[in-house]
Amino acid sequence: MTQHAEHCRNPWNGKCRNTDIEVYIYHRGERQPICRICWQEIAEKDLEW
């Protein structure tokens, strides 16, 4: 049986496929997994979601 690892779904970086999920955010009403690297970048920016 094949297991599918959850990958990053950073809405500001659609190319990231990292599976080291750090947090989940809600963006436009959907729960999005965010990897450690993307979360560090998001945390440093002034974004609203």
Side-chain angles (χ1 to χ4, degrees):
M1 182 174 232
T2 304
Q3 286 186 324
H4 296 284
E6 189 171 39
H7 68 272
C8 182
R9 292 182 52 201
N10 180 353
W12 299 281
N13 177 3
K15 296 178 183 177
C16 184
R17 294 291 180 251
N18 194 331
T19 58
D20 183 22
I21 304 304
E22 178 79 7
V23 298
Y24 292 85
I25 64 170
Y26 277 91
H27 181 262
R28 297 186 179 180
E30 291 187 33
R31 184 175 172 244
Q32 306 288 344
I34 305 296
C35 73
R36 181 180 311 271
I37 294 168
C38 286
W39 180 242
Q40 289 174 346
E41 292 173 6
I42 291 168
E44 292 176 3
K45 294 180 180 180
D46 186 22
L47 298 173
E48 287 188 32
W49 61 84

